[in-house]
Amino acid sequence: QVQLVESGGGLVQAGGSLRLSCAASGSIFSINSMGWYRQAPGKQRELVARISSGGSTNYVDSVKGRFTISRDNAKNTVFLQMNSLKPEDTAVYYCTASVRNGPLSIARDYWGQGTQVSVSS
């Protein structure tokens, strides 16, 4: 089993910054992509940013130029640096990782419990 533990959420004023972290632990042979999704009240969960094992990244258009995803492969950790936050960024942010549990295993997706990010105007 694999656990993803997120931290770094909170309440911030518009224009402020937050940095989310997510550490994966447990039965990990290798991690392919890691990413962040978010879900605002009454809306569907959406992909915010994703990073491959090699460091390639992609972002939803609404956060390009403001958010930066990065990872520390040695620590099985992914980060999301969020700058110039807007009230519309308010949501629960979920970490996800595509993990192989062993050398012959196929990759499975695991999710964190979510962390609240609230941006006041």
Side-chain angles (χ1 to χ4, degrees):
Q1 192 57 277
V2 174
Q3 297 79 41
L4 300 181
V5 178
E6 299 131 334
S7 61
L11 174 64
V12 65
Q13 287 189 332
S17 299
L18 285 173
R19 187 179 191 232
L20 305 183
S21 300
C22 173
S25 63
S27 181
I28 298 172
F29 175 76
S30 65
I31 301 179
N32 298 337
S33 64
M34 302 184 80
W36 292 92
Y37 282 71
R38 66 185 179 187
Q39 187 167 20
K43 294 188 177 181
Q44 289 190 330
R45 190 174 296 190
E46 68 170 352
L47 174 65
V48 177
R50 182 180 293 275
I51 184 168
S52 72
S53 57
S56 298
T57 59
N58 63 285
Y59 299 89
V60 66
D61 286 346
S62 59
V63 308
K64 287 180 179 178
R66 300 188 297 121
F67 291 11
T68 302
I69 189 170
S70 60
R71 64 190 283 176
D72 183 337
N73 290 330
K75 296 182 178 180
N76 293 331
T77 300
V78 63
F79 307 95
L80 186 67
Q81 178 66 43
M82 304 185 293
N83 299 329
S84 303
L85 282 160
K86 303 176 180 180
E88 50 264 42
D89 294 319
T90 295
V92 177
Y93 284 70
Y94 297 91
C95 168
T96 184
S98 179
V99 178
R100 293 175 63 203
N101 303 120
L104 301 179
S105 300
I106 61 171
R108 291 179 55 191
D109 289 338
Y110 291 89
W111 291 83
Q113 79 285 354
T115 186
Q116 178 69 46
V117 171
S118 298
V119 185
S120 62
S121 56

